[in-house]
């Protein structure tokens, strides 16, 4: 049933005590190829008005309480904007609840994961990165804050370390990234090919082992982890990827089983999309995330 408000019939919660905080970060100034991801938060909210509040298995999402903080409008230069993203995220982490950030390009993960690590410091934090790309470049196009760099920046946090970084769905490398991975063998990379050959349970087991003992995990989902057949509307598509169904199940299982406290969903680019296929896929993934959180809340 269509409604006038985003997130369909899911309940609204007060700021500071909602089950889920949502913040749009409509920044796509860091992309290397095609832009457009800045338009994703608005598009996802618009489509959510016509998506009934149930998961694919019929889990009722209406008992959840969401507080949507809207978009953090890009008003200043890059560094100033990232400072404001970090400050806003720090406030959300203090308020509790699950935090969902809607990108924007993947560079927004840099201030978000910095705020996340600082919030939990000195406790160690973990990062699960679903992407076709490693995003492990130190510098890209002369920029430390490129969307090719977020996991390298994450590893600079004092309470982050390579063995707590799990890259999943990878099928594209730069020479520097391969060199970095070879020098840090504790970092886990499960390429798309390996993922498709092993069972979902084996992958989940690997993630659980890498993150064992941690209490605070961050899940970063680049929509280009999906095959371009499922998600054509993104700036740097890579063939040979996962299906929407596989990502539904991954996100649901990861969030149900592990202490994931924050997630970003990035690189959905509505201007590059066809019939909103990519935005719909992203929105359905979000609803599977909600289902996992609703089941946890019961
Ligand atoms: Mn990517």
């Amino acid at each position: 049933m269509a409604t006038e408000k985003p997130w369909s019939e899911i309940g609204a919660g007060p700021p500071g005590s909602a089950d889920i905080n949502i913040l749009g970060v409509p920044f796509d100034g860091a992309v290397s190829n095609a832009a457009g991801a800045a338009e994703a938060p608005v598009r996802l909210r618009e489509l959510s008005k016509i998506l009934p509040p149930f998961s694919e298995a019929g889990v009722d999402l209406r008992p959840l309480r969401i507080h949507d903080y809207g978009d953090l409008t890009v008003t200043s230069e890059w560094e100033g904007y990232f400072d404001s993203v970090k400050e806003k995220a720090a406030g959300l982490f203090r308020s509790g609840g699950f935090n969902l950030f809607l990108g924007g390009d993947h560079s927004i993960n840099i201030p978000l994961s910095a705020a996340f690590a600082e919030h939990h410091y000195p406790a160690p934090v973990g990062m699960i990165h679903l992407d076709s790309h490693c995003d492990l470049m130190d510098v890209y196009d002369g920029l430390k804050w490129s969307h090719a760099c977020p996991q390298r920046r994450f590893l600079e946090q004092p309470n982050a370390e390579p063995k707590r970084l799990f890259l999943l769905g990878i099928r594209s490398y730069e020479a520097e990234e391969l060199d970095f991975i070879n020098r840090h063998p504790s970092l886990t990379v499960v390429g798309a090919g390996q993922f498709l050959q092993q069972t979902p349970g084996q992958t989940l087991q690997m993630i659980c082992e890498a993150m064992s003992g941690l209490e605070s995990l961050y899940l970063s989902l680049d929509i280009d982890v999906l095959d371009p057949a499922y998600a054509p509307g993104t700036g740097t598509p890579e063939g040979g990827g996962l299906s929407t169904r596989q990502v539904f199940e991954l996100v649901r299982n990861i969030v149900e089983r592990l202490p994931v406290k924050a997630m970003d969903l990035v690189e959905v680019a509505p201007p590059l999309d066809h019939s909103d296929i990519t935005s719909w896929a992203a929105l359905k993934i979000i609803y599977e995330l909600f289902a996992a959180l609703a089941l946890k809340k019961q």
Side-chain angles (χ1 to χ4, degrees), residues 13-295:
S17 60
D19 299 312
I20 302 168
N21 305 313
I22 294 178
L23 179 67
V25 188
F27 177 85
D28 66 5
V31 296
S32 50
N33 187 22
E39 296 180 30
V42 165
R43 192 73 196 129
L44 293 173
R45 287 193 192 89
E46 199 57 34
L47 295 179
S48 75
K49 294 177 183 175
I50 50 174
L51 185 62
F54 300 95
S55 76
E56 63 155 343
V59 175
D60 189 348
L61 308 179
R62 290 173 295 183
L64 288 169
R65 291 292 170 267
I66 289 177
H67 191 83
D68 188 337
Y69 288 80
D71 287 356
L72 196 56
T73 310
V74 184
T75 53
S76 56
E77 92 309 340
W78 192 336
E79 186 169 8
Y81 183 63
F82 274 16
D83 284 345
S84 69
V85 171
K86 188 177 168 191
E87 190 181 318
K88 181 77 181 175
L92 296 185
F93 296 141
R94 280 193 295 273
S95 80
F98 187 92
N99 298 281
L100 174 63
F101 303 99
L102 305 175
D105 73 48
H106 218 150
S107 70
I108 68 159
N109 175 268
I110 295 172
L112 293 171
S113 75
F116 187 76
E118 284 180 23
H119 176 72
H120 292 289
Y121 185 82
V125 291
M127 175 71 72
I128 304 166
H129 172 91
L130 273 58
D131 198 330
S132 67
H133 309 97
C134 301
D135 294 354
L136 277 172
M137 295 295 286
D138 186 26
V139 177
Y140 194 82
D141 286 344
L143 298 167
K144 287 267 216 196
W145 297 330
S146 161
H147 73 153
C149 303
Q151 296 320 339
R152 194 66 173 265
R153 297 288 86 78
F154 172 68
L155 290 175
E156 291 170 353
Q157 299 299 324
N159 47 343
E161 54 180 331
K163 74 173 180 179
R164 305 306 199 171
L165 173 60
F166 198 104
L167 307 184
L168 178 55
I170 308 300
R171 51 197 188 275
S172 172
Y173 296 92
E174 298 280 346
E176 178 188 323
E177 292 176 319
L178 279 172
D179 179 57
F180 186 86
I181 290 165
N182 289 332
R183 285 188 289 111
H184 298 85
S186 63
L187 190 162
T188 311
V189 182
V190 173
Q194 181 182 345
F195 173 80
L196 294 167
Q197 281 168 14
Q198 61 193 29
T199 66
Q202 283 173 318
T203 300
L204 207 59
Q205 185 60 31
M206 291 177 75
I207 298 172
C208 288
E209 282 170 16
M211 300 298 160
S212 69
L214 297 187
E215 289 174 10
S216 304
L217 307 183
Y218 189 110
L219 176 60
S220 185
L221 197 160
D222 184 328
I223 202 70
D224 70 30
V225 72
L226 290 174
D227 192 89
Y230 300 94
T234 192
T236 44
E238 300 277 352
L242 279 58
S243 70
T244 311
R245 158 140 314 285
Q246 286 164 328
V247 173
F248 279 179
E249 291 171 7
L250 266 173
V251 168
R252 220 166 44 220
N253 284 319
I254 288 169
V255 173
E256 270 181 41
R257 295 214 200 162
L258 291 164
V260 178
K261 295 181 174 168
M263 172 173 169
D264 59 49
L265 202 167
V266 298
E267 302 282 356
V268 174
L272 306 174
D273 210 358
H274 304 277
S275 305
D276 286 317
I277 294 172
T278 312
S279 292
W280 278 119
L283 191 61
K284 294 286 281 188
I285 291 167
I286 290 170
Y287 275 42
E288 294 309 306
L289 161 75
F290 289 171
L293 295 171
L295 292 172

